[in-house]
Short mmCIF file of all heavy atoms in Angstrom, two decimals:
data_model
loop_
_atom_site.label_atom_id
_atom_site.label_comp_id
_atom_site.label_asym_id
_atom_site.label_seq_id
_atom_site.Cartn_x
_atom_site.Cartn_y
_atom_site.Cartn_z
N THR A 470 121.34 -93.94 190.21
CA THR A 470 121.16 -94.45 188.85
C THR A 470 122.16 -93.81 187.89
O THR A 470 122.66 -94.45 186.98
CB THR A 470 119.72 -94.21 188.32
OG1 THR A 470 119.54 -92.81 188.09
CG2 THR A 470 118.67 -94.71 189.29
N TYR A 471 122.48 -92.55 188.15
CA TYR A 471 123.47 -91.87 187.29
C TYR A 471 124.90 -92.29 187.61
O TYR A 471 125.76 -92.24 186.76
CB TYR A 471 123.28 -90.34 187.38
CG TYR A 471 122.34 -89.86 186.31
CD1 TYR A 471 121.02 -90.27 186.32
CD2 TYR A 471 122.78 -89.05 185.27
CE1 TYR A 471 120.15 -89.89 185.31
CE2 TYR A 471 121.91 -88.66 184.26
CZ TYR A 471 120.61 -89.08 184.29
OH TYR A 471 119.77 -88.71 183.29
N ALA A 472 125.13 -92.71 188.85
CA ALA A 472 126.47 -93.22 189.20
C ALA A 472 126.78 -94.45 188.37
O ALA A 472 127.92 -94.68 187.97
CB ALA A 472 126.54 -93.54 190.69
N PHE A 473 125.73 -95.25 188.07
CA PHE A 473 125.95 -96.46 187.27
C PHE A 473 126.11 -96.15 185.79
O PHE A 473 126.25 -97.05 184.97
CB PHE A 473 124.81 -97.45 187.52
CG PHE A 473 125.02 -98.24 188.77
CD1 PHE A 473 124.60 -97.73 190.00
CD2 PHE A 473 125.69 -99.46 188.75
CE1 PHE A 473 124.84 -98.44 191.17
CE2 PHE A 473 125.91 -100.16 189.92
CZ PHE A 473 125.49 -99.65 191.14
N ALA A 474 126.08 -94.88 185.45
CA ALA A 474 126.37 -94.46 184.08
C ALA A 474 127.65 -93.65 184.00
O ALA A 474 128.40 -93.73 183.03
CB ALA A 474 125.21 -93.64 183.53
N PHE A 475 127.92 -92.85 185.04
CA PHE A 475 129.07 -91.93 185.00
C PHE A 475 130.15 -92.24 186.04
O PHE A 475 131.10 -91.50 186.17
CB PHE A 475 128.59 -90.49 185.22
CG PHE A 475 127.75 -89.95 184.09
CD1 PHE A 475 126.37 -89.94 184.18
CD2 PHE A 475 128.35 -89.46 182.93
CE1 PHE A 475 125.59 -89.45 183.15
CE2 PHE A 475 127.58 -88.95 181.90
CZ PHE A 475 126.20 -88.95 182.00
N LYS A 476 129.97 -93.28 186.83
CA LYS A 476 130.88 -93.71 187.89
C LYS A 476 130.90 -92.75 189.08
O LYS A 476 130.55 -93.15 190.18
CB LYS A 476 132.31 -93.94 187.36
CG LYS A 476 133.21 -94.62 188.39
CD LYS A 476 134.51 -95.10 187.78
CE LYS A 476 135.43 -93.92 187.56
NZ LYS A 476 136.84 -94.26 187.61
N ASN A 477 131.29 -91.49 188.84
CA ASN A 477 131.33 -90.53 189.95
C ASN A 477 130.41 -89.35 189.67
O ASN A 477 130.61 -88.63 188.71
CB ASN A 477 132.76 -90.03 190.17
CG ASN A 477 133.69 -91.12 190.64
OD1 ASN A 477 133.25 -92.09 191.27
ND2 ASN A 477 134.96 -91.00 190.35
N VAL A 478 129.43 -89.18 190.52
CA VAL A 478 128.43 -88.12 190.31
C VAL A 478 128.11 -87.43 191.63
O VAL A 478 128.48 -87.91 192.70
CB VAL A 478 127.11 -88.69 189.74
CG1 VAL A 478 127.32 -89.30 188.36
CG2 VAL A 478 126.51 -89.72 190.68
N TYR A 479 127.42 -86.30 191.55
CA TYR A 479 126.89 -85.69 192.77
C TYR A 479 125.66 -84.87 192.41
O TYR A 479 125.49 -84.44 191.27
CB TYR A 479 127.93 -84.82 193.48
CG TYR A 479 128.27 -83.51 192.80
CD1 TYR A 479 127.79 -82.29 193.29
CD2 TYR A 479 129.07 -83.48 191.66
CE1 TYR A 479 128.11 -81.09 192.68
CE2 TYR A 479 129.39 -82.28 191.04
CZ TYR A 479 128.91 -81.10 191.55
OH TYR A 479 129.22 -79.91 190.93
N THR A 480 124.81 -84.71 193.41
CA THR A 480 123.69 -83.80 193.25
C THR A 480 123.80 -82.76 194.37
O THR A 480 124.40 -83.01 195.40
CB THR A 480 122.33 -84.55 193.27
OG1 THR A 480 121.28 -83.60 193.10
CG2 THR A 480 122.12 -85.30 194.55
N PHE A 481 123.28 -81.60 194.12
CA PHE A 481 123.38 -80.50 195.09
C PHE A 481 122.11 -79.69 194.91
O PHE A 481 121.98 -78.93 193.94
CB PHE A 481 124.63 -79.68 194.78
CG PHE A 481 124.94 -78.55 195.76
CD1 PHE A 481 126.17 -77.92 195.71
CD2 PHE A 481 124.03 -78.14 196.72
CE1 PHE A 481 126.49 -76.90 196.60
CE2 PHE A 481 124.32 -77.12 197.61
CZ PHE A 481 125.56 -76.49 197.54
N GLY A 482 121.17 -79.89 195.81
CA GLY A 482 119.90 -79.19 195.62
C GLY A 482 119.08 -79.19 196.90
O GLY A 482 119.50 -79.71 197.93
N PRO A 483 117.91 -78.57 196.83
CA PRO A 483 117.06 -78.50 198.02
C PRO A 483 116.42 -79.85 198.34
O PRO A 483 116.11 -80.62 197.43
CB PRO A 483 115.96 -77.50 197.61
CG PRO A 483 116.35 -76.97 196.28
CD PRO A 483 117.33 -77.91 195.67
N THR A 484 116.25 -80.12 199.61
CA THR A 484 115.54 -81.30 200.07
C THR A 484 114.57 -80.85 201.16
O THR A 484 114.75 -79.78 201.74
CB THR A 484 116.50 -82.36 200.63
OG1 THR A 484 117.43 -81.72 201.51
CG2 THR A 484 117.28 -83.04 199.53
N PHE A 485 113.56 -81.67 201.41
CA PHE A 485 112.46 -81.22 202.27
C PHE A 485 112.12 -82.30 203.29
O PHE A 485 111.98 -83.47 202.93
CB PHE A 485 111.22 -80.94 201.40
CG PHE A 485 111.51 -80.01 200.25
CD1 PHE A 485 112.01 -80.51 199.05
CD2 PHE A 485 111.35 -78.64 200.39
CE1 PHE A 485 112.31 -79.64 198.00
CE2 PHE A 485 111.65 -77.77 199.35
CZ PHE A 485 112.12 -78.28 198.15
N ARG A 486 112.00 -81.90 204.54
CA ARG A 486 111.63 -82.89 205.55
C ARG A 486 110.61 -82.30 206.52
O ARG A 486 110.84 -81.25 207.11
CB ARG A 486 112.85 -83.37 206.31
CG ARG A 486 113.78 -84.11 205.37
CD ARG A 486 114.75 -85.01 206.06
NE ARG A 486 115.66 -85.51 205.02
CZ ARG A 486 116.72 -86.24 205.24
NH1 ARG A 486 117.02 -86.61 206.47
NH2 ARG A 486 117.47 -86.65 204.24
N ALA A 487 109.51 -83.02 206.66
CA ALA A 487 108.47 -82.58 207.59
C ALA A 487 108.74 -83.16 208.97
O ALA A 487 107.90 -83.80 209.57
CB ALA A 487 107.10 -83.03 207.06
N GLU A 488 109.97 -82.95 209.45
CA GLU A 488 110.35 -83.42 210.79
C GLU A 488 109.79 -82.44 211.78
O GLU A 488 110.02 -81.24 211.66
CB GLU A 488 111.86 -83.39 210.95
CG GLU A 488 112.58 -84.60 210.46
CD GLU A 488 114.08 -84.33 210.42
OE1 GLU A 488 114.52 -83.56 209.56
OE2 GLU A 488 114.79 -84.90 211.25
N ASN A 489 109.13 -82.97 212.78
CA ASN A 489 108.55 -82.03 213.75
C ASN A 489 109.57 -81.69 214.84
O ASN A 489 109.27 -81.77 216.03
CB ASN A 489 107.28 -82.64 214.34
CG ASN A 489 106.36 -81.55 214.86
OD1 ASN A 489 106.77 -80.39 214.93
ND2 ASN A 489 105.15 -81.89 215.21
N SER A 490 110.81 -81.36 214.44
CA SER A 490 111.80 -81.05 215.48
C SER A 490 112.17 -79.59 215.42
O SER A 490 112.68 -79.11 214.43
CB SER A 490 113.04 -81.93 215.35
OG SER A 490 113.15 -82.48 214.08
N ASN A 491 111.88 -78.92 216.51
CA ASN A 491 112.14 -77.50 216.60
C ASN A 491 113.50 -77.30 217.25
O ASN A 491 113.60 -77.05 218.44
CB ASN A 491 111.03 -76.86 217.44
CG ASN A 491 110.80 -75.43 217.00
OD1 ASN A 491 111.64 -74.85 216.32
ND2 ASN A 491 109.69 -74.87 217.41
N THR A 492 114.56 -77.47 216.48
CA THR A 492 115.91 -77.34 217.04
C THR A 492 116.68 -76.31 216.24
O THR A 492 116.19 -75.77 215.25
CB THR A 492 116.69 -78.67 216.95
OG1 THR A 492 117.16 -78.85 215.60
CG2 THR A 492 115.83 -79.86 217.33
N THR A 493 117.91 -76.05 216.69
CA THR A 493 118.74 -75.07 215.99
C THR A 493 119.42 -75.69 214.77
O THR A 493 120.16 -75.01 214.08
CB THR A 493 119.83 -74.53 216.93
OG1 THR A 493 120.55 -75.64 217.47
CG2 THR A 493 119.21 -73.72 218.06
N ARG A 494 119.21 -77.00 214.52
CA ARG A 494 119.90 -77.63 213.38
C ARG A 494 118.95 -78.30 212.40
O ARG A 494 119.39 -79.00 211.50
CB ARG A 494 120.94 -78.66 213.81
CG ARG A 494 121.20 -78.76 215.29
CD ARG A 494 121.99 -79.99 215.61
NE ARG A 494 121.17 -81.18 215.59
CZ ARG A 494 121.59 -82.39 215.29
NH1 ARG A 494 122.83 -82.59 214.95
NH2 ARG A 494 120.77 -83.42 215.30
N HIS A 495 117.66 -78.12 212.58
CA HIS A 495 116.70 -78.73 211.65
C HIS A 495 115.90 -77.67 210.91
O HIS A 495 115.34 -76.77 211.53
CB HIS A 495 115.71 -79.62 212.40
CG HIS A 495 116.31 -80.91 212.86
ND1 HIS A 495 116.90 -81.04 214.10
CD2 HIS A 495 116.45 -82.11 212.25
CE1 HIS A 495 117.37 -82.28 214.22
NE2 HIS A 495 117.10 -82.95 213.12
N ALA A 496 115.84 -77.82 209.61
CA ALA A 496 114.97 -76.97 208.80
C ALA A 496 114.10 -77.88 207.95
O ALA A 496 114.49 -79.01 207.64
CB ALA A 496 115.80 -76.04 207.92
N ALA A 497 112.93 -77.39 207.57
CA ALA A 497 112.03 -78.20 206.75
C ALA A 497 112.49 -78.19 205.30
O ALA A 497 112.22 -79.12 204.53
CB ALA A 497 110.61 -77.67 206.86
N GLU A 498 113.18 -77.12 204.91
CA GLU A 498 113.76 -77.03 203.57
C GLU A 498 115.24 -76.74 203.76
O GLU A 498 115.60 -75.74 204.37
CB GLU A 498 113.09 -75.88 202.80
CG GLU A 498 113.68 -75.66 201.42
CD GLU A 498 112.95 -74.55 200.66
OE1 GLU A 498 111.71 -74.61 200.54
OE2 GLU A 498 113.62 -73.62 200.21
N PHE A 499 116.08 -77.64 203.30
CA PHE A 499 117.52 -77.43 203.41
C PHE A 499 118.18 -77.98 202.16
O PHE A 499 117.57 -78.71 201.40
CB PHE A 499 118.08 -78.10 204.68
CG PHE A 499 117.93 -79.61 204.71
CD1 PHE A 499 118.98 -80.44 204.34
CD2 PHE A 499 116.73 -80.19 205.09
CE1 PHE A 499 118.84 -81.83 204.36
CE2 PHE A 499 116.58 -81.58 205.11
CZ PHE A 499 117.63 -82.39 204.75
N TRP A 500 119.43 -77.61 201.96
CA TRP A 500 120.14 -78.08 200.76
C TRP A 500 121.07 -79.21 201.14
O TRP A 500 121.61 -79.24 202.24
CB TRP A 500 120.93 -76.92 200.14
CG TRP A 500 120.04 -75.92 199.46
CD1 TRP A 500 119.04 -75.19 200.05
CD2 TRP A 500 120.03 -75.56 198.08
NE1 TRP A 500 118.42 -74.39 199.11
CE2 TRP A 500 119.02 -74.60 197.90
CE3 TRP A 500 120.80 -75.95 196.97
CZ2 TRP A 500 118.75 -74.03 196.66
CZ3 TRP A 500 120.54 -75.38 195.74
CH2 TRP A 500 119.52 -74.44 195.58
N MET A 501 121.22 -80.13 200.20
CA MET A 501 122.08 -81.26 200.49
C MET A 501 123.00 -81.54 199.30
O MET A 501 122.59 -81.39 198.15
CB MET A 501 121.24 -82.50 200.82
CG MET A 501 122.07 -83.53 201.51
SD MET A 501 121.29 -85.01 202.23
CE MET A 501 119.63 -85.03 201.84
N ILE A 502 124.24 -81.92 199.62
CA ILE A 502 125.21 -82.32 198.61
C ILE A 502 125.34 -83.83 198.73
O ILE A 502 125.67 -84.34 199.80
CB ILE A 502 126.60 -81.68 198.87
CG1 ILE A 502 126.52 -80.17 198.73
CG2 ILE A 502 127.65 -82.25 197.91
CD1 ILE A 502 126.22 -79.44 200.01
#
Side-chain angles (χ1 to χ4, degrees):
T470 70
Y471 268 64
F473 278 85
F475 292 99
K476 190 168 76 152
N477 293 333
V478 296
Y479 71 105
T480 180
F481 184 168
T484 46
F485 308 86
R486 295 200 187 174
E488 275 168 289
N489 204 350
S490 20
N491 210 343
T492 78
T493 54
R494 354 168 282 151
H495 287 91
E498 176 178 307
F499 63 98
W500 288 60
M501 198 172 5
I502 295 92

